[in-house]
Amino acid sequence: QVQLVESGGGSVQAGGSLRLSCAASGFTSGSRCMAWFRQTPGKEREGVAVVWLSGGLTYADSVKGRFTASQDNNKNTFYLQMNSLKPEDTAMYYCAAGPRFGFGVCPGIRTDRGYQYWGQGTQVTVSS
């Protein structure tokens, strides 16, 4: 059974940092692309970062240079280091796991459709 559990959210002032973690279980680390999405009330889920099966990274323009996604295969944990946080980064953050290697195409960050598993989310609030 695949499970994703996020942690690390909280409240910070603008300019601060947070590191989100997504602990994965039920599948081999590195066998699926992993992504971070965020959502605010009344808006669609927005892709933030994706780690492709190749290990390459893609970021949303709004977070480039400030956020860094990484993956520790030994711990089967996916991270999002967020620096220079802005009030507009305030959202619920979710990690997502894409199709298993060989069973589909990773959706990237342009759409949340195609991701097979989602965590419960962790709230990030940035005050000015």
Side-chain angles (χ1 to χ4, degrees):
Q1 180 181 358
V2 174
Q3 192 172 16
L4 302 175
V5 179
E6 299 101 334
S7 61
S11 297
V12 295
Q13 290 192 328
S17 298
L18 284 172
R19 188 175 83 153
L20 306 184
S21 299
C22 173
S25 58
F27 65 91
T28 302
S29 182
S31 66
R32 300 174 183 265
C33 70
M34 298 293 295
W36 287 99
F37 283 78
R38 64 187 182 186
Q39 190 172 26
T40 53
K43 292 189 176 181
E44 291 188 355
R45 213 149 30 183
E46 172 193 21
V48 175
V50 61
V51 178
W52 302 95
L53 285 171
S54 64
L57 297 160
T58 298
Y59 296 96
D61 288 343
S62 59
V63 306
K64 278 181 185 175
R66 300 188 299 120
F67 290 11
T68 303
S70 61
Q71 189 164 315
D72 185 334
N73 289 334
N74 290 328
K75 295 181 178 179
N76 211 3
T77 301
F78 181 47
Y79 301 98
L80 184 68
Q81 178 66 43
M82 305 186 295
N83 298 328
S84 302
L85 282 161
K86 303 176 181 180
E88 51 264 43
D89 295 318
T90 295
M92 185 72 79
Y93 284 71
Y94 300 89
C95 68
R100 189 157 57 98
F101 173 70
F103 288 84
V105 177
C106 180
I109 58 171
R110 294 190 177 187
T111 178
D112 61 359
R113 295 193 180 101
Y115 283 94
Q116 294 185 335
Y117 300 99
W118 292 86
Q120 82 288 352
T122 185
Q123 177 69 36
V124 171
T125 302
V126 184
S127 57
S128 57

